[in-house]
Amino acid sequence: MNLKGRSFLKLKDFTPEEITYLIELSAELKAKKKKGIVHDDLRGKNIALIFEKTSTRTRCSFEVAAHDLGMQVTYLEPSASQIGKKESIKDTARVLGRMYDGIEYRGFGQKIVEELAEYSGVPVWNGLTNEFHPTQMIADMLTIQEKFGHLKGIKFVFLGDARYNMGNSLMVTCAKLGMDFVACTNKNYFPDRELVTYCEGVAKETGASITLTEDVEIGTKHADVIYTDVWVSMGEPEEVWENRIRDLKSYQVNQKVMDNAKETAIFMHCLPAFHDLETVIGQQIYEKFGLTEMEVTNQVFEGVQSVVFDEAENRMHSIKAIMYATL
Ligand code: CP
Ligand code: NVA
């Protein structure tokens, strides 16, 4: 399997075999790290990280993974660089491509990261756009693989805002890997029709299935994985909270949802999560709307079925694999 020189912009660009290879490579690099085996094979290389939106996991994963691989990192904050205001993405791409071996980009439209890849001449990794969050996919699939020993045939249920980066990416990934994907949410939050049609086509070849339902009891019945994400994503205006809460509150992951799934089911979330009042936004929402928990209850988040911190750790191992494979 040779992915050298390829960008990692969205899962649609990769075959099931290539995705499986990245999951396996992540597991291999994770095992090496646990055993204390040095793997700084990319010594002498330099990467740039551009973050137009905030991050904890993705930024730290890229930095730690790069250091483990022997690489140097430059963190670029748009407010402290020329990006966007004085220099176009096309020009930025051509400058950074002359200096760096690879570039990570987190920001708004998918078009921006695609343009960066087109003009930089080096691998570009999508660290999250409005439409897709591909590096998260490899971590999530590695986590499911670790818990169940396989991916094919897993019933994967996503509750909440399924038409944004997480819902879109998970549906594509499940389709590619022969899993049974369910978007269980208010119909206004189903993934984009065109993407659903694409995934249905992929599913025919892989043995996957795609289901969209508003019924929580039917949707989550016999589920292996219950997954959710924040109801309002980075970059969305504050005003949307009110409608979002109204539309999505019946799709909150609570113990009743977990009890309706298989006994062996796991709970996953890309994080950060609003499961208590220990955040500024959590507190503001409580004061305005009276909610103490949002997309997931604290009981489920802290419960024995929750694997969210294994998932967060796997971000680092999988981002390392993505860089290792493409550089
Ligand atoms: N899951 C995720 O991408 O986390 P960050 O926003 O902290 O990078
Ligand atoms: N949908 C979320 C994902 C965060 C990892 C967002 O875009 O804010």
Side-chain angles (χ1 to χ4, degrees):
M1 186 66 68
N2 186 0
L3 301 181
K4 298 253 174 293
R6 293 267 299 273
S7 284
F8 192 73
L9 306 176
K10 56 189 182 303
L11 272 293
K12 273 169 93 176
D13 301 339
F14 289 81
T15 64
E17 294 72 27
E18 288 168 341
I19 299 168
T20 303
Y21 166 72
L22 287 172
I23 299 165
E24 280 166 9
L25 185 60
S26 308
E28 234 174 79
L29 291 167
K30 179 173 181 175
K32 265 194 182 160
K33 170 117 179 166
K34 300 278 175 201
K35 283 188 199 139
I37 302 169
V38 177
H39 47 284
D40 55 350
D41 308 340
L42 299 182
R43 261 187 322 276
K45 293 201 187 284
N46 293 282
I47 63 163
L49 309 180
I50 306 171
F51 280 85
E52 298 210 76
K53 288 177 180 170
T54 51
S55 168
T56 297
R57 277 147 293 275
T58 310
R59 177 182 175 180
C60 296
S61 296
F62 270 98
E63 295 215 13
V64 172
H67 290 139
D68 284 357
L69 292 170
M71 299 194 286
Q72 298 292 327
V73 175
T74 304
Y75 178 74
L76 280 161
E77 210 179 320
S79 62
S81 73
Q82 315 288 22
I83 299 170
K85 292 178 298 298
K86 284 182 70 183
E87 199 159 31
S88 66
I89 284 294
K90 194 168 159 181
D91 293 353
T92 305
R94 288 178 288 178
V95 172
L96 296 180
R98 298 288 183 107
M99 300 181 194
Y100 292 95
D101 299 287
I103 305 165
E104 179 276 353
Y105 174 85
R106 164 173 288 199
F108 297 86
Q110 179 72 14
K111 274 222 300 273
I112 302 170
V113 78
E114 301 272 352
E115 195 177 0
L116 199 53
E118 187 181 342
Y119 290 99
S120 66
V122 297
V124 170
W125 310 294
N126 177 0
L128 179 146
T129 56
N130 295 346
E131 292 87 346
F132 296 112
H133 194 7
T135 64
Q136 178 82 46
M137 295 306 105
I138 305 301
D140 290 349
M141 295 305 130
L142 173 63
T143 310
I144 298 169
Q145 172 80 39
E146 287 172 344
K147 303 299 171 194
F148 295 99
H150 67 102
L151 293 168
K152 236 182 166 43
I154 289 286
K155 179 169 177 180
F156 184 106
V157 184
F158 184 92
L159 293 99
D161 185 2
R163 33 122 255 171
Y164 220 71
N165 42 28
M166 287 304 304
N168 288 344
S169 304
L170 287 164
M171 179 173 68
V172 173
T173 309
C174 287
K176 294 249 177 185
L177 298 178
M179 298 161 72
D180 297 316
F181 177 84
V182 181
C184 180
T185 187
N186 178 308
K187 63 178 178 326
N188 296 328
Y189 297 83
F190 284 163
D192 176 59
R193 191 62 243 174
E194 211 177 294
L195 193 64
V196 172
T197 306
Y198 164 81
C199 288
E200 284 168 346
V202 173
K204 277 203 189 93
E205 285 167 32
T206 61
S209 65
I210 307 292
T211 307
L212 310 179
T213 179
E214 289 195 288
D215 190 316
V216 176
E217 207 185 316
I218 293 173
T220 60
K221 192 98 213 139
H222 304 306
D224 294 297
V225 179
I226 298 287
Y227 201 116
T228 192
D229 180 19
V230 288
W231 289 340
V232 175
S233 286
M234 289 184 276
E236 293 197 278
E238 225 182 279
E239 301 81 74
V240 303
W241 271 110
E242 191 172 352
N243 287 350
R244 220 44 81 71
I245 290 170
R246 184 199 60 209
D247 295 343
L248 297 178
K249 67 174 185 306
S250 32
Y251 299 95
Q252 178 193 62
V253 178
N254 51 37
Q255 201 51 50
K256 196 168 157 224
V257 167
M258 293 309 295
D259 291 344
N260 191 46
K262 277 190 192 155
E263 219 175 304
T264 51
I266 57 173
F267 168 70
M268 298 180 75
H269 190 310
C270 53
L271 304 184
F274 291 120
H275 59 94
D276 59 24
L277 296 180
E278 291 178 30
T279 62
V280 173
I281 294 177
Q283 190 63 39
Q284 284 168 352
I285 296 296
Y286 171 65
E287 280 158 23
K288 223 166 153 189
F289 304 104
L291 254 73
T292 54
E293 309 157 306
M294 283 191 259
E295 71 274 11
V296 56
T297 61
N298 199 49
Q299 184 187 16
V300 170
F301 185 89
E302 298 291 356
V304 290
Q305 288 167 291
S306 173
V307 300
V308 296
F309 296 108
D310 294 329
E311 188 183 356
E313 179 193 329
N314 283 342
R315 295 297 308 288
M316 197 284 284
H317 305 298
S318 51
I319 281 174
K320 188 186 284 178
I322 292 161
M323 290 197 288
Y324 189 83
T326 53
L327 284 177

